[in-house]
Amino acid sequence: MKRLVIVILAAAALWSGYWFIAAHTEKRALTQWFAARRAEGWQADYAGFTVQGYPNRLDAIWTDMALADPATGVALDLPKFALMALSYQPNHVIAVAPKTMLLRTPQDNYPISNDDLRASLRLHAGPSLQLDRAQLSADKLVLAGPQPASLDHLSLAVSQHEDDERTYRLGLLASGLTPPEVLRNRVTSGMALPDQMQEARLDATVTFDKPWDISAINRARPQPRHITVALARAEWGALALQIAADLAVDEAGQATGDVSLQARNWRQMVQAAVAAGALDASVASIAETTLGLMARMGGNSETLDVTLSLRDGRVYLGPISLGPAPVFRLR
């Protein structure tokens, strides 16, 4: 019995030593990260910072944290923020956001509230902290400010491909989205649509020019080079839009490839795009005539199934240019 007690005490002492060394190492590394951001011109401040959770957890907890990126002018103020991990699995981190926070942009300030906003992050072992997989979920997410918007539920997942460290699969599910009133009024002008979008889904695979790791924060964001959309779907009242795509993206962010589009009540979508300023009225008139013919050939004049082409920085429906193509570049 005496020997057993000695073994238990020795094990406890060794584990305690490991925990305190790990806690000290984590606190020093995180403190150095904030100092490095300040040296780059960021605002990276906090009122309090502790690492706790002995004996089985390593929980880094900040109070009154403020982060601001000078390159974009975007800032975030959090009254409390926590990064939690098991002490024997420090590369799997859970981030827990406060119930309220403030997003600051060059245009305005946006208070954010939520019932439950958290993220799970699993990194590969090693100094580069390369992303393996991540998940984010939120309930009752509300963006206040001059253009309030809300979301009943959001789930987002990212996972690295087993055979290519630059390729990631992305999945998204959003339900109960209430867009800002100005956008809602533009899009729904003359249409009987509910205030909320029922659902939006995404299943896509993106290959970047480099893996996502700590350099994405310290230096530059990885940039997309190939985008495959297996499914992107949104429903808003009687409107439904479904997209699949296969796009190659160059260094300037210009995409080349095809986008398959299926739309229910597509005429209302064209009108909404014009009302929102996303499509020129003269182009919309030509496109609507062409699309109407194609829809009738498909047997249902209100349902559309077409393929759009992206090339030379433009979006084409056959020979008709519908406008500039989006630029796929992360800042």
Side-chain angles (χ1 to χ4, degrees):
M1 176 64 76
K2 183 177 180 180
R3 289 181 179 178
L4 179 59
V5 171
I6 292 173
V7 169
I8 293 173
L9 291 175
L14 288 171
W15 182 258
S16 297
Y18 161 78
W19 188 92
F20 283 108
I21 292 172
H24 175 74
T25 302
E26 179 175 332
K27 187 169 185 178
R28 181 177 60 186
L30 291 169
T31 301
Q32 290 174 345
W33 185 88
F34 275 82
R37 300 292 74 71
R38 289 191 290 269
E40 294 174 355
W42 283 51
Q43 178 190 10
D45 303 318
Y46 49 83
F49 172 40
T50 62
V51 176
Q52 56 193 48
Y54 177 84
N56 293 322
R57 302 190 63 84
L58 288 169
D59 297 344
I61 300 174
W62 291 267
T63 55
D64 296 328
M65 179 192 290
L67 295 172
D69 181 359
T72 61
V74 175
L76 192 61
D77 297 338
L78 304 108
K80 188 175 182 179
F81 182 69
L83 290 176
M84 303 184 298
L86 295 171
S87 54
Y88 52 85
Q89 198 175 29
N91 63 321
H92 185 191
V93 179
I94 295 174
V96 180
K99 299 294 184 182
T100 60
M101 64 192 86
L102 179 65
L103 175 66
R104 294 182 280 127
T105 74
Q107 289 74 38
D108 221 310
N109 294 338
Y110 301 89
I112 300 173
S113 63
N114 66 92
D115 280 358
D116 185 18
L117 173 59
R118 61 182 60 215
S120 171
L121 182 68
R122 187 184 293 272
L123 305 172
H124 292 291
S128 66
L129 301 179
Q130 192 177 120
L131 175 64
D132 178 23
R133 62 176 64 101
Q135 292 179 303
L136 182 145
S137 64
D139 290 319
K140 302 299 181 184
L141 188 62
V142 178
L143 179 70
Q147 295 297 328
S150 64
L151 193 63
D152 287 346
H153 178 73
L154 172 67
S155 294
L156 174 65
V158 180
S159 60
Q160 189 179 46
H161 196 280
E162 292 182 358
D163 300 323
D164 185 352
E165 63 179 10
R166 300 174 302 130
T167 299
Y168 297 84
R169 184 177 180 184
L170 291 77
L172 178 144
L173 172 63
S175 59
L177 170 63
T178 302
E181 185 176 2
V182 170
L183 176 61
R184 197 163 64 244
N185 289 341
R186 284 181 183 175
V187 172
T188 62
S189 177
M191 289 183 280
L193 290 176
D195 290 341
Q196 281 193 339
M197 294 178 64
Q198 295 99 305
E199 186 178 88
R201 291 178 177 269
L202 173 67
D203 181 3
T205 301
V206 182
T207 299
F208 295 88
D209 58 359
K210 65 176 184 176
W212 280 84
D213 56 26
I214 192 64
S215 68
I217 300 175
N218 295 345
R219 292 193 292 274
R221 314 290 186 267
Q223 297 301 323
R225 290 294 175 259
H226 193 273
I227 301 172
T228 301
V229 179
L231 173 68
R233 179 176 174 83
E235 288 190 65
W236 192 354
L239 305 183
L241 179 66
Q242 185 166 304
I243 293 173
D246 188 13
L247 304 172
V249 184
D250 64 19
E251 293 186 0
Q254 298 288 352
T256 301
D258 293 332
V259 178
S260 299
L261 184 149
Q262 295 177 330
R264 187 179 70 219
N265 293 324
W266 61 273
R267 297 178 194 276
Q268 292 176 292
M269 294 184 189
V270 173
Q271 296 167 11
V274 173
L279 188 63
D280 183 82
S282 59
V283 174
S285 178
I286 298 172
E288 190 168 352
T289 300
T290 305
L291 294 174
L293 176 61
M294 297 176 70
R296 286 192 295 273
M297 290 174 62
N300 186 339
S301 62
E302 295 303 317
T303 300
L304 190 65
D305 190 345
V306 298
T307 297
L308 305 178
S309 296
L310 276 64
R311 61 181 186 274
D312 303 323
R314 308 286 296 180
V315 180
Y316 291 90
L317 173 62
I320 302 173
S321 173
L322 300 181
V327 176
F328 297 92
R329 187 159 189 84
L330 302 179
R331 294 189 60 186

